[in-house]
Amino acid sequence: GDSVTQMEGPVTLSEEAFLTINCTYTATGYPSLFWYVQYPGEGLQLLLKATKADDKGSNKGFEATYRKETTSFHLEKGSVQVSDSAVYFCALYNFNKFYFGSGTKLNVKP
Amino acid sequence: DAGITQSPRHKVTETGTPVTLRCHQTENHRYMYWYRQDPGHGLRLIHYSYGVKDTDKGEVSDGYSVSRSKTEDFLLTLESATSSQTSVYFCAISEGASSGTDTQYFGPGTRLTVL
């Protein structure tokens, strides 16, 4: 069945460091791909999405490119801030169902 | 932000008591979902609804029931709460797949503690 695998955390970075959080997926057909962010004590917020191969989703300095050849949707940011500390979830939508990764906690130190 | 509210936001109850959590949306979206979030398990789908009075089970539905009598409200009921149901519960909504893709939007969550 369809599934999402993302790198385990926590990931700890210093402010202004480059961020990559890896996400790979298994799916038939042509899923849509998402990144959600969850700040402490809050619900998941949509960060960005891509609906077809080679699409790049971007928001708030974060980017992810839908790579069908490698079945990946890695999240990147060039310079993280302390305020980016949160849990990040990769997800896919396919044939009327949503699938979520287990989440990656990011800690950014000043 | 999508108009989704959950009530209560926090609840402490005792084993064996019934508990009902409410999700309310103002977006007129067709689909509504209940998830639970636990450390080490990520998000797990409990039940979902694809229309008024139309519901189906998710992967962890045992011990839970749902009802949807209006488009805007989706209720999750624990008939007899157990300590294993201590968790954070999230409601989510989506429009439905008429365009071939869909996006979920989440509520703020309800933290439930069963003593």
Side-chain angles (χ1 to χ4, degrees):
Chain A
D2 293 7
S3 66
V4 176
T5 303
Q6 59 182 107
M7 62 189 291
E8 290 200 18
V11 174
T12 301
L13 297 173
S14 297
E15 204 164 25
E16 299 184 0
F18 185 87
L19 168 71
T20 300
I21 300 178
N22 290 336
C23 171
T24 57
Y25 67 90
T26 300
T28 57
Y30 303 92
S32 298
L33 301 174
F34 308 84
W35 277 102
Y36 286 85
V37 59
Q38 184 180 31
Y39 299 103
E42 298 184 10
L44 279 70
Q45 300 175 24
L46 179 66
L47 181 59
L48 53 84
K49 67 178 182 180
T51 58
K52 60 184 187 295
D54 300 325
D55 267 3
K56 178 185 283 187
S58 61
N59 186 26
K60 299 181 181 179
F62 291 89
E63 293 182 341
T65 301
Y66 187 163
R67 302 285 188 200
K68 194 163 178 64
E69 64 276 14
T70 54
T71 62
S72 65
F73 193 55
H74 304 322
L75 182 67
E76 296 182 335
K77 187 175 186 184
S79 176
V80 293
Q81 305 300 311
V82 172
S83 57
D84 293 326
S85 297
V87 180
Y88 293 82
F89 290 89
C90 185
L92 74 83
Y93 173 79
N94 201 24
F95 297 115
N96 295 334
K97 289 185 184 289
F98 290 90
Y99 303 85
F100 286 84
S102 56
T104 302
K105 186 172 184 179
L106 171 65
N107 296 316
V108 180
K109 301 185 298 183
Chain B
D1 290 342
I4 311 169
T5 56
Q6 293 183 231
S7 59
R9 293 294 314 279
H10 302 272
K11 185 169 182 67
V12 180
T13 191
E14 294 190 350
T15 297
T17 60
V19 176
T20 295
L21 309 183
R22 179 179 183 240
C23 177
H24 179 78
Q25 61 146 330
T26 58
E27 306 296 321
N28 201 35
H29 281 6
R30 179 182 173 193
Y31 283 75
M32 299 184 75
Y33 309 79
W34 277 108
Y35 290 89
R36 60 178 290 174
Q37 184 178 33
D38 304 288
H41 291 278
L43 285 173
R44 292 184 289 176
L45 182 65
I46 305 171
H47 282 280
Y48 68 99
S49 168
Y50 47 97
V52 173
K53 299 192 190 311
D54 293 322
T55 65
D56 205 349
K57 296 179 179 180
E59 62 179 305
V60 290
S61 59
D62 287 348
Y64 301 95
S65 63
V66 291
S67 66
R68 190 167 179 202
S69 58
K70 298 185 290 185
T71 298
E72 56 267 35
D73 289 326
F74 192 33
L75 303 181
L76 176 71
T77 297
L78 291 65
E79 301 291 347
S80 178
T82 68
S83 58
S84 65
Q85 294 175 312
T86 292
S87 186
V88 180
Y89 291 86
F90 288 100
C91 175
I93 65 173
S94 70
E95 284 188 278
S98 59
S99 62
T101 187
D102 204 1
T103 302
Q104 277 190 336
Y105 300 94
F106 285 80
T110 293
R111 182 174 294 276
L112 176 67
T113 302
V114 184
L115 301 175

